[in-house]
Amino acid sequence: MSNTQRRWLTLFAATAAILMVFIIRTIMARTGTPPRLFDIFDTAISLASLGVVVVGWRTLSRTNWLISVGAGLLVAILLPLATLYSPYPFLEIVTDVRVRAVINGVMIVVTTLGGLVIMHWGGPITLQFASMGWRRAVRSLLFGVAVGLPFAILNGFANAWTQNRPITWQNPLAAAIDAMHPAVLEEVIYRFAFLGLLWLLFRRDWPNRHAVVLSGLLALLTHTFSHYSELFVTQPLTALAMGAVMGLIWGIPPTLLAVRRDLESALSFHWIQDAIRFWLGF
């Protein structure tokens, strides 16, 4: 098999595997209650990240371990305290929010470590805090908020329009704190770990620039369309249309921020979206 054939086969296999998860889950949901798409992908990405950590744990520094465990503890502590954000049952089985908090915390530890191993292997996403770039990390957090604020305001009005509901102002401090959980969880799992895992898969056969673009696109689409587990069952065309719009407006910016700058800027971009949304009562 030639290099050209292998590279297209790899891309086709990765895309087909992701599509099959969406298709099979949607079919199963017509007669039962399978796990949500997020739970399926979160679990798969965490297991793949664990494999990466087992292979490359020697590349991790003490700071890397401390930051990964700290991120996991942050997620695990914040979830039970949330008042404006509540998760769905994990795998349609775990309903206790404290247990879900522990599960999410463990996932964050594993996927952060996996993302860091890939970063040390030359991966496309940088975590400034893990490389002791504290000042740059803070600047990136502020930059992500500045870039994301106009999108967050648009998102707030879009929610009011699509849900046909008025704005109901909530506690801004609670909104800011609760928004940290989904921002850390989703950006670490999808933008840091999953994008990096896909890059590992593509980098052998594709030029690095193409590998980054393809992995970023697949990770973006997977993350975006995973928001519509039930809509794919009841209104699949609407799910496709909404996913395309969401991916274009709110998926591309954090992906570009993560690839061109660092994970911190993508994370804060995501955070301001949810903080404004929770503040407005959506």
Side-chain angles (χ1 to χ4, degrees):
M1 182 182 295
S2 67
N3 289 339
T4 301
Q5 290 174 323
R6 190 171 61 245
R7 70 169 56 170
W8 287 107
L9 179 62
T10 303
L11 177 60
F12 173 80
T15 305
I18 293 170
L19 282 174
M20 287 305 296
V21 173
F22 281 90
I23 293 170
I24 293 173
R25 194 271 168 196
T26 301
I27 293 173
M28 293 176 63
R30 295 186 183 279
T31 57
T33 54
R36 296 173 64 249
L37 288 165
F38 266 126
D39 291 343
I40 296 171
F41 284 114
D42 289 358
T43 303
I45 294 166
S46 297
L47 291 174
S49 297
L50 181 60
V52 168
V53 174
V54 170
V55 174
W57 66 271
R58 289 183 179 84
T59 65
L60 297 168
S61 67
R62 181 181 300 177
T63 300
N64 293 165
W65 284 94
L66 289 174
I67 287 177
S68 299
V69 173
L73 287 174
L74 177 68
V75 165
I77 291 170
L78 287 179
L79 185 55
L81 302 176
T83 57
L84 304 176
Y85 169 80
S86 58
Y88 290 91
F90 180 67
L91 297 177
E92 300 300 321
I93 300 172
V94 178
T95 57
D96 190 314
V97 70
R98 292 166 297 183
V99 178
R100 180 64 194 262
V102 172
I103 293 172
N104 286 2
V106 171
M107 284 184 171
I108 286 298
V109 173
V110 172
T111 51
T112 302
L113 289 171
L116 286 169
V117 170
I118 296 171
M119 183 184 82
H120 293 312
W121 287 345
I125 309 297
T126 299
L127 181 61
Q128 296 294 339
F129 280 120
S131 58
M132 302 302 289
W134 301 99
R135 292 184 179 179
R136 180 169 175 78
V138 172
R139 289 198 298 268
S140 290
L141 289 172
L142 295 175
F143 182 78
V145 169
V147 172
L149 186 57
F151 292 89
I153 295 171
L154 175 62
N155 187 34
F157 283 107
N159 274 285
W161 178 62
T162 57
Q163 298 181 34
N164 194 27
R165 287 171 46 197
I167 292 174
T168 55
W169 298 99
Q170 305 296 315
N171 185 316
L173 180 60
I177 294 174
D178 287 6
M180 292 176 66
H181 186 278
V184 173
L185 188 73
E186 295 177 31
E187 292 305 312
V188 167
I189 292 179
Y190 290 90
R191 218 78 64 185
F192 196 35
F194 190 41
L195 195 157
L197 288 165
L198 290 169
W199 174 82
L200 281 180
L201 179 65
F202 294 140
R203 68 169 180 165
R204 287 181 53 198
D205 304 314
W206 291 87
N208 186 66
R209 181 179 178 183
H210 294 168
V212 173
V213 171
L214 291 173
S215 57
L217 181 62
L218 279 182
L220 180 162
L221 292 173
T222 303
H223 172 247
T224 300
F225 284 109
S226 290
H227 287 83
Y228 304 109
S229 290
E230 301 312 316
L231 197 59
F232 271 117
V233 180
T234 58
Q235 302 178 60
L237 293 180
T238 301
L240 289 172
M242 290 184 65
V245 173
M246 289 287 289
L248 179 65
I249 301 177
W250 289 286
I252 291 178
T255 300
L256 290 176
L257 286 170
V259 171
R260 293 181 175 273
R261 193 176 179 97
D262 46 41
L263 184 66
E264 284 86 349
S265 57
L267 193 151
S268 60
F269 178 98
H270 192 143
W271 171 80
I272 194 64
Q273 309 306 309
D274 285 330
I276 296 296
R277 179 168 64 89
F278 292 159
W279 184 33
L280 299 179
F282 299 106

